[in-house]
Amino acid sequence: MRTHLATLHSEPLHLTPKEFAILAILAQSVGSPVSAADLFEGAWHERFDDAAANTVMVHIRRLRKKLADIDASTTFIETAWGVGYKLRGAPGDTGHGA
């Protein structure tokens, strides 16, 4: 059986398989925005449509809550308006710039 482990500050994150897949996709592009379509197609392996955008948004909201339950001082997943979502980079990265 294949297992996945994600931690934040050495605390385990209890993620669903879809949440883990979304986080893994974002982690592969730290600091760069990933579209909702790319997140959906990468996590669900299905074609993106209008309804899928809400599905991604709900899963992002749940992921943000689970991350905030461990560390509410940082916004780890940022919204890139008009593009999608991005995982915050290194400490001090404001998410602005190239």
Side-chain angles (χ1 to χ4, degrees), residues 6-89:
T7 61
L8 177 62
H9 305 317
S10 300
E11 295 281 333
L13 288 165
H14 301 288
L15 305 177
T16 67
K18 297 300 184 203
E19 290 167 346
F20 185 90
I22 290 169
L23 187 59
I25 293 164
L26 290 171
Q28 291 172 356
S29 300
V30 169
S32 297
V34 180
S35 71
D38 286 343
L39 290 171
F40 184 83
E41 291 176 2
W44 277 264
H45 306 289
E46 295 179 21
R47 226 177 149 155
F48 183 80
D49 60 23
D50 290 338
N54 282 336
T55 300
V56 171
M57 186 173 57
V58 167
H59 281 77
I60 291 288
R61 185 179 327 132
R62 290 179 186 159
L63 261 172
R64 284 175 170 159
K65 178 170 181 352
K66 289 178 180 185
L67 293 165
D69 286 347
I70 295 173
D71 181 353
S73 70
T74 302
T75 301
F76 293 99
I77 299 174
E78 300 175 342
T79 301
W81 294 107
V83 181
Y85 302 94
K86 68 179 180 176
L87 190 62
R88 187 182 177 118

